[in-house]
């Protein structure tokens, strides 16, 4: 983090959008992209056909809702399982299937996990998420969940699948800012293999020093 750098709610939203695009693109072996424009909305809603939501809390609080059209949900579901080697004749054929809801819920869990990992490293704060809830609905619902938000900022972003099916992410979080300090630097992650290698080199060097000492003492 650079000195005097300010990270606001919209910057955090961008990190979430990147996590959604990255995880879905990787798991479905296809291109998932988000719009370059963000819509300011009054409140989050669960919308047809498949809606999923999760609450996160910790360094800041928020609510994430993803609304999939039936076509978008089925495309992502099918691509995900086919990329894992699942036979096509074993896949569900309707978006209302429990299997589709379970898979989409698992994918949302992966997206939020990626987002939380990025936030923890870059903003040096800790947040946790609730288990995503997936609902199949046939009419618009207003989602009202107590998330203890402080002056919430609410946004909506559209996403597009490789087959041009659209789904939407709705996001509400505390109106907050993270301000970089000159004396604080992001800690670099240490690879476990590097740690073991350093330990081995240290042990070897220590052994050489000990043998030299014994030789000088005539032992």
């Amino acid at each position: 983090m650079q000195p005097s750098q300010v990270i606001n709610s919209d910057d955090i939203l961008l990190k979430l959008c990147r996590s959604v695009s990255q995880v879905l693109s990787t798991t479905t072996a296809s291109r998932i992209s988000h719009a370059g424009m963000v819509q300011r909305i009054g409140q989050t809603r669960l919308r047809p056909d498949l809606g999923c939501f999760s609450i996160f809390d910790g360094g800041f609080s928020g609510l994430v809702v993803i609304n999939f059209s039936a076509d978008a949900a089925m495309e992502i579901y099918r691509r995900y399982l086919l990329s894992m080697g699942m036979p096509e004749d074993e896949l569900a054929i309707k978006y209302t299937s429990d299997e589709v809801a379970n898979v989409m819920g698992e994918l949302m869990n992966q997206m939020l996990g990626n987002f939380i990992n990025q936030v923890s490293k870059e903003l040096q704060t800790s947040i946790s998420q609730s288990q995503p809830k997936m609902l199949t609905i046939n009419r618009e619902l207003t989602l009202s969940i107590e998330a203890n938000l402080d002056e919430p900022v609410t946004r909506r972003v559209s996403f597009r699948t490789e087959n041009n099916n659209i789904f939407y992410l709705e996001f509400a979080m505390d109106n907050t800012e993270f301000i970089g300090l000159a004396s604080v630097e992001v800690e670099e992650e240490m690879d476990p293999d590097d740690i073991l290698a350093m330990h081995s080199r240290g042990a070897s060097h220590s052994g050489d020093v000990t043998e030299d000492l014994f030789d000088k003492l005539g032992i």
Side-chain angles (χ1 to χ4, degrees):
M1 182 178 293
Q2 298 298 321
S4 301
Q5 181 182 6
V6 177
I7 304 296
N8 60 28
S9 302
D10 286 332
D11 295 321
I12 294 173
L13 171 60
L14 179 58
K15 296 179 188 299
L16 175 58
C17 290
R18 287 173 175 167
S19 289
V20 171
S21 295
Q22 178 183 343
V23 169
L24 288 183
S25 294
T26 301
T27 56
T28 64
S30 64
R31 185 172 184 273
I32 307 291
S33 59
H34 63 81
M37 302 295 290
V38 177
Q39 181 181 3
R40 180 180 297 163
I41 58 177
Q43 59 182 325
T44 57
R45 287 188 173 91
L46 279 175
R47 306 172 190 269
D49 295 300
L50 206 61
C52 190
F53 69 91
S54 178
I55 297 173
F56 53 88
D57 198 6
F60 57 88
S61 299
L63 171 65
V64 179
V65 177
I66 302 183
N67 292 306
F68 297 95
S69 65
D71 290 339
M74 288 303 294
E75 179 186 349
I76 292 171
Y77 159 78
R78 289 176 60 83
R79 286 182 180 275
Y80 174 58
L81 291 186
L82 289 174
S83 69
M84 294 178 62
M86 180 75 72
E88 187 167 1
D89 58 3
E90 294 184 13
L91 301 181
I93 59 175
K94 293 184 178 181
Y95 79 92
T96 53
S97 168
D98 288 342
E99 182 182 353
V100 175
N102 291 338
V103 167
M104 300 306 290
E106 170 57 27
L107 287 174
M108 184 166 184
N109 203 37
Q110 293 183 38
M111 291 182 271
L112 292 181
N114 182 280
F115 166 68
I116 289 173
N117 183 53
Q118 295 298 319
V119 166
S120 298
K121 289 190 300 183
E122 296 179 24
L123 302 185
Q124 301 180 27
T125 189
S126 176
I127 58 175
S128 59
Q129 69 174 80
S130 66
Q131 184 67 25
K133 305 297 182 183
M134 182 70 69
L135 300 175
T136 303
I137 52 182
N138 55 19
R139 63 179 181 177
E140 184 172 308
L141 298 177
T142 298
L143 180 63
S144 178
I145 298 177
E146 181 58 50
N148 297 318
L149 300 183
D150 181 19
E151 299 180 0
V153 173
T154 312
R155 301 286 188 264
R156 186 173 186 235
V157 182
S158 64
F159 286 75
R160 186 182 300 272
T161 69
E162 191 164 293
N163 288 348
N164 290 320
N165 291 310
I166 306 297
F167 63 94
Y168 297 93
L169 180 148
E170 298 189 6
F171 176 75
M173 68 164 288
D174 294 332
N175 185 11
T176 187
E177 291 182 340
F178 288 82
I179 303 172
L181 301 177
S183 59
V184 178
E185 296 182 358
V186 177
E187 295 182 0
E188 295 184 1
E189 290 188 346
M190 178 66 75
D191 189 294
D193 292 334
D194 292 340
I195 296 176
L196 291 175
M198 290 174 61
H199 177 73
S200 298
R201 288 196 299 269
S204 175
H205 179 69
S206 176
D208 293 342
V209 172
T210 301
E211 290 181 4
D212 290 344
L213 179 60
F214 285 170
D215 290 339
K216 290 180 180 179
L217 295 176
I219 299 177

